[in-house]
């Protein structure tokens, strides 16, 4: 259970928040199990995520807004993929985007999403099986935050994202770094992203990594702090004290990063 191993460095309270925020989907979890879990989780989803300081949906909305002039936002069509309860849509709406559609396979999540009042069209389906009801070249911007983890959007879902985004359009994907090596489906995901660029399907604009305030606090608490002007003796002592857990802590804390990928769609 990789998610449990990743919490070894956390305090009991931090571990409880982490596991509550990212419900455990076992390796090989089916789409049906994932959808069922989200439907059951929908009534408390927003409250649970916010209590743990999850900020992926804010990062996604900020990134889109930073790349679209304010006077154009009201006229661009945006698709929120794996829309959940509508957190990304609310953030985009508050930044001036008005034509926002949602793609979400869980009925429970969709019901909560509908109460936001910010979405126009709603697609109750899963990306990666062709997303058959979503037209090609339909969206100026596609955002996916929180849709890439065990049993969720398969790697082939990226092809659907490209198909339904207009040439010249923008795709923003936000996911946790840990899933790139914990989830079998995503172990070659970044290589697949690169292969799509080599084929001319899209062009990478940027790849960034972020931490939420809560995660940054955990990170700083676990990594030794070297004050300005630290002597060589102090540095050597800190590393000597840290040596027994250095590898494990370094790897697990890197997993706290939220990765963000931004691509421009080419002609297709």
């Amino acid at each position: 259970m990789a998610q449990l191993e990743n919490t070894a460095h956390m305090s009991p309270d931090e571990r409880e928040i982490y596991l509550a925020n990212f419900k455990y989907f076992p390796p090989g979890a089916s789409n049906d199990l994932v959808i069922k879990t989200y439907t059951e989780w929908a009534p408390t989803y927003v409250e649970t995520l916010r209590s743990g300081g999850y900020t992926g949906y804010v990062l996604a909305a900020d990134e889109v807004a930073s790349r679209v002039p304010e006077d154009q936002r009201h006229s661009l069509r945006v698709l929120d993929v794996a829309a959940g309860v509508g957190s990304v849509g609310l953030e985009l709406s508050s930044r001036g985007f008005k034509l926002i559609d949602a793609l979400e396979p869980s009925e429970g999540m969709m019901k909560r999403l509908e109460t936001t009042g910010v979405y126009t069209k709603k697609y109750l389906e899963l990306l990666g099986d062709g997303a058959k009801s979503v037209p090609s070249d339909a969206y100026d911007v596609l955002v996916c935050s929180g849709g890439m983890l065990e049993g969720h959007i398969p790697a082939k879902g990226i092809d659907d994202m490209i198909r339904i985004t207009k040439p010249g359009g923008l795709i923003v994907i936000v996911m946790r770094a840990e899933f790139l090596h914990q989830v079998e489906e995503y172990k070659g995901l970044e290589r697949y992203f690169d292969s799509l660029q080599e084929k001319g399907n899209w062009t990478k604009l940027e790849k960034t990594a972020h931490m939420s305030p809560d995660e940054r606090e955990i990170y700083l608490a676990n990594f030794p702090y070297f004050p300005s002007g630290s002597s060589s003796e102090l540095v050597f002592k800190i590393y000597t004290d840290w040596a027994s857990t250095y590898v494990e802590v370094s790897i697990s804390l890197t997993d706290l990063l939220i990765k963000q990928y931004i691509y421009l769609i080419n002609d297709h």
Side-chain angles (χ1 to χ4, degrees), residues 148 154-159 161-162 171-175 180 186 188-204 206-207 259-263:
M148 308 291 287
K156 64 181 180 180
I158 306 301
D159 297 284
M161 293 184 189
I162 292 172
I171 291 181
V172 175
I173 300 170
V174 179
M175 66 181 294
L180 292 171
Y186 302 149
L189 187 62
E190 290 191 328
R191 291 194 299 274
Y192 188 60
F193 287 170
D194 292 341
S195 73
L196 291 171
Q197 175 152 315
E198 291 167 4
K199 293 176 182 177
N201 297 119
W202 63 6
T203 301
K204 181 165 65 178
E206 193 173 357
K207 180 176 77 172
K259 285 206 170 184
Q260 186 165 256
Y261 305 89
I262 302 97
Y263 286 90

Side-chain angles (χ1 to χ4, degrees), residues 69-268:
E70 193 169 351
D71 62 352
Q72 296 179 20
R73 295 176 190 173
H74 70 283
S75 61
L76 296 186
R77 293 195 65 193
V78 181
L79 181 64
D80 181 5
V81 170
V85 295
S87 298
V88 171
L90 285 169
E91 293 292 331
L92 288 172
S93 178
S94 71
R95 290 161 176 74
F97 293 89
K98 302 303 178 187
L99 304 178
I100 309 170
D101 295 346
L103 188 148
E104 168 57 47
S106 164
E107 289 189 30
M109 291 295 202
M110 187 67 83
K111 287 178 182 177
R112 285 209 65 175
L113 176 153
E114 289 173 343
T115 66
T116 65
V118 301
Y119 292 94
T120 307
K121 293 183 180 179
K122 306 168 199 68
Y123 302 97
L124 186 66
E125 60 185 275
L126 182 71
L127 202 69
D129 64 353
K132 302 174 182 62
S133 64
V134 184
S136 300
D137 301 336
Y139 290 95
D140 301 287
V141 179
L142 183 148
V143 185
C144 178
S145 173
M148 308 291 287
L149 57 154
E150 188 71 60
H152 288 56
I153 298 172
K156 64 181 180 180
I158 306 301
D159 297 284
D160 275 337
M161 293 184 189
I162 292 172
R163 178 185 64 78
I164 60 188
T165 305
K166 296 177 181 178
L170 190 69
I171 291 181
V172 175
I173 300 170
V174 179
M175 66 181 294
R176 294 187 69 90
E178 64 193 279
F179 300 136
L180 292 171
H181 65 84
Q182 287 183 4
V183 179
E184 193 66 34
E185 180 72 17
Y186 302 149
K187 288 182 178 178
L189 187 62
E190 290 191 328
R191 291 194 299 274
Y192 188 60
F193 287 170
D194 292 341
S195 73
L196 291 171
Q197 175 152 315
E198 291 167 4
K199 293 176 182 177
N201 297 119
W202 63 6
T203 301
K204 181 165 65 178
L205 300 180
E206 193 173 357
K207 180 176 77 172
T208 58
H210 306 265
M211 281 186 179
S212 72
D214 287 350
E215 290 163 335
R216 185 174 184 274
E217 184 176 348
I218 294 170
Y219 184 92
L220 294 177
N222 281 275
F223 271 90
Y225 174 62
F226 301 101
S228 178
S230 293
S231 66
S232 298
E233 289 78 7
L234 174 60
V235 171
F236 293 153
K237 182 181 184 301
I238 289 174
Y239 275 119
T240 297
D241 294 341
W242 194 24
S244 62
T245 60
Y246 180 84
V247 174
E248 293 79 5
V249 172
S250 297
I251 293 173
S252 62
L253 289 173
T254 300
D255 285 344
L256 291 174
L257 291 170
I258 298 174
K259 285 206 170 184
Q260 186 165 256
Y261 305 89
I262 302 97
Y263 286 90
L264 184 73
I265 301 305
N266 300 329
D267 289 338
H268 55 266

